[in-house]
Amino acid sequence: MPKEQDNSLRPRRMDEMVGQQDVIERLKIAIDAAQGRGEPLGHILFDGPPGLGKTTFATVIPAEMGTSVEMANGAGLRAPKDLLPYLTNLSEGAVLFIDEIHRIPKSVEEYLYTAMEDFRIDIILGEGVSARTLNYELRPFTLIGATTRAGMLSAPLRDRFQIREHLGWYNQAELCEIVQRNSKKLKIAIDDGSAGVIAGRSRSTPRLANNRLLWVRDYAQSKANGKVDATVTAAALDMIGIDTLGLDKQDRGYLDTLMRVFLGGPAGLEAIAHTMNVSSDTLEDEVEPFLLRTEMIVRTRRGRMATHKAFEHMKVKKPDASA
C-alpha cells in the first residue's frame, strides 16, 4: 500500500482501533499506571503475522502518552553505531520503535541490554591501546519491538520486555467495521453488503482489507461511475483473482497442482515448486501459511496433502483412495 494512503487509513488514537480489544485494555491500564507514577511505560514486544496492527500500536501508544516516537527497522541496524543516533536523540519518556526486531544482529542486541535495563550505553572512543570508554546516560524511554517471528529472538532480549502481546486474527464483523470506517476516510459510500464481501476475502487481516478497499474504489471509479455495491465489489475482486475465501491465483495454482498432478498428495514441497516453476521458499512463506490456516492442506511426514475442503472449494472430484 502506498505510504501516504497507509498513513491516512491508520488510526491515530487507541479508541479508533477496531479489534484486539483485550490487548488494548491491558495497554490502557499499563499506560495509565505509568503516567500516574510519572515513569516511562515498560518496554513492549508485539508479535504476530504481518498486517495485524503492530506498527499501528507503535504509533498510537506515543499519541496516548503525549510523547514522540522514533522508528527504526531491525534490518537496517547492522552495528551498534547505527543504533546510537536513535538512542541519544530520544527525549524523556519517548518511544523507540524497532520493526522486525528479530533481524538485528547479536552485537546490536547485546548493546540494547544496558540501554533497556539501566538507560545507559558505553561509547568507545579511539582505537587500540589509546581507546577509552565513555559511559553515556540515556533519558528514560520505552522500547517497542515488533516481530513476525518471536521464536527467533534470544531469551535474554525477550525477557527484557515487561509487556508481551500476541496479535490475533480479526473476525468478519471487525473487518467490516474497519472497511466502513476507512471508506469514510476515502470519501466513498460502502454499504454493508460490499463491506462484507471485502471482509470475507481479506484473510482476517486489516492490511489486506485496506488493500482490497483501495482496489474496489479504483474499479468502481473506472467501471461503475463511482458507485459501489456488492456486485461491483465482487467483480472488482474477481478481476484480480481473489475468490470468496480470499485465495489468490497463486494459492489456487498450488491447489490445482497438488490435486491434478499429485492426485491430492502426499507430495513434497520441492516437487510442487518445480512443477509450478516457483521457488519453494515462496510457497512455504507466502502460500502455505494461509492454506494451512484455512485447512485446505495438511503437512505430513510424507508431504503435503489436499483436504476434502480444498477439493470442494476447487470443485474437483477427490480421487478414489482404493483405485
Side-chain angles (χ1 to χ4, degrees), residues 42-99:
H43 305 304
I44 306 171
L45 178 65
F46 291 110
D47 73 87
L52 297 186
K54 296 185 291 294
T55 303
T56 299
F57 271 113
T59 56
V60 299
I61 287 173
E64 293 289 328
M65 300 183 67
T67 188
S68 60
V69 58
E70 292 279 342
M71 308 190 82
N73 190 288
L77 303 174
R78 307 316 311 165
K81 64 182 176 63
D82 298 324
L83 190 61
L84 274 176
Y86 294 102
L87 293 174
T88 55
N89 290 332
L90 287 172
S91 58
E92 178 115 11
V95 170
L96 171 60
F97 172 59
I98 302 180
D99 197 11

Side-chain angles (χ1 to χ4, degrees), residues 118 148 168 211 270-271 279:
D118 305 323
T148 53
N211 288 342
E270 292 291 339
S279 164

Side-chain angles (χ1 to χ4, degrees), residues 3-257:
K3 186 175 180 181
E4 65 274 6
Q5 290 174 327
D6 189 29
N7 286 339
S8 67
L9 298 182
R10 181 168 284 158
R12 306 293 183 188
R13 300 301 293 258
M14 220 168 266
D15 290 336
E16 298 175 19
M17 297 186 70
V18 178
Q20 313 291 351
Q21 289 305 308
D22 55 337
V23 176
I24 290 173
E25 288 304 314
R26 289 192 290 269
L27 288 174
K28 282 183 175 179
I29 291 172
I31 291 170
D32 183 59
Q35 289 180 322
R37 294 191 303 268
E39 299 176 356
L41 183 64
H43 305 304
I44 306 171
L45 178 65
F46 291 110
D47 73 87
L52 297 186
K54 296 185 291 294
T55 303
T56 299
F57 271 113
T59 56
V60 299
I61 287 173
E64 293 289 328
M65 300 183 67
T67 188
S68 60
V69 58
E70 292 279 342
M71 308 190 82
N73 190 288
L77 303 174
R78 307 316 311 165
K81 64 182 176 63
D82 298 324
L83 190 61
L84 274 176
Y86 294 102
L87 293 174
T88 55
N89 290 332
L90 287 172
S91 58
E92 178 115 11
V95 170
L96 171 60
F97 172 59
I98 302 180
D99 197 11
E100 297 298 316
I101 194 170
H102 64 271
R103 298 183 65 181
I104 63 175
K106 189 73 174 175
S107 59
V108 179
E109 180 182 308
E110 291 173 348
Y111 202 69
L112 270 174
Y113 293 165
T114 54
M116 293 173 71
E117 284 194 324
D118 305 323
F119 301 118
R120 66 172 180 83
I121 51 176
D122 296 323
I123 302 174
I124 299 176
L125 303 175
E127 295 180 357
V129 294
S130 61
R132 59 194 181 91
T133 302
L134 173 65
N135 192 269
Y136 187 91
E137 294 291 331
L138 299 172
R139 299 179 185 91
F141 69 97
T142 299
L143 175 65
I144 298 180
T147 177
T148 53
R149 297 183 175 184
M152 291 181 67
L153 289 177
S154 68
L157 181 58
R158 277 201 311 268
D159 292 344
R160 282 172 169 80
F161 289 98
Q162 289 95 326
I163 303 170
R164 286 190 59 189
E165 295 291 354
H166 176 78
L167 303 188
W169 303 107
Y170 287 63
N171 60 39
Q172 177 84 359
E174 291 168 344
L175 288 174
C176 282
E177 188 175 346
I178 290 171
V179 170
Q180 293 277 22
R181 288 190 182 193
N182 288 340
S183 68
K184 293 175 183 175
K185 294 179 181 179
L186 295 171
K187 298 180 181 177
I188 56 175
I190 292 278
D191 59 19
D192 292 341
S194 302
V197 172
I198 294 174
R201 302 190 187 197
S202 296
R203 304 188 181 207
S204 307
T205 307
R207 181 182 293 163
L208 292 182
N210 289 335
N211 288 342
R212 312 285 195 246
L213 174 62
L214 291 169
W215 167 249
V216 168
R217 177 195 62 175
D218 293 346
Y219 180 92
Q221 184 178 330
S222 176
K223 298 287 188 180
N225 296 320
K227 183 187 176 189
V228 180
D229 58 27
T231 304
V232 170
T233 302
L237 297 177
D238 288 341
M239 176 175 274
I240 57 174
I242 308 298
D243 67 20
T244 53
L245 288 183
L247 273 65
D248 59 24
K249 292 177 183 177
Q250 192 159 248
D251 298 328
R252 291 192 300 278
Y254 179 103
L255 291 176
D256 177 67
T257 302

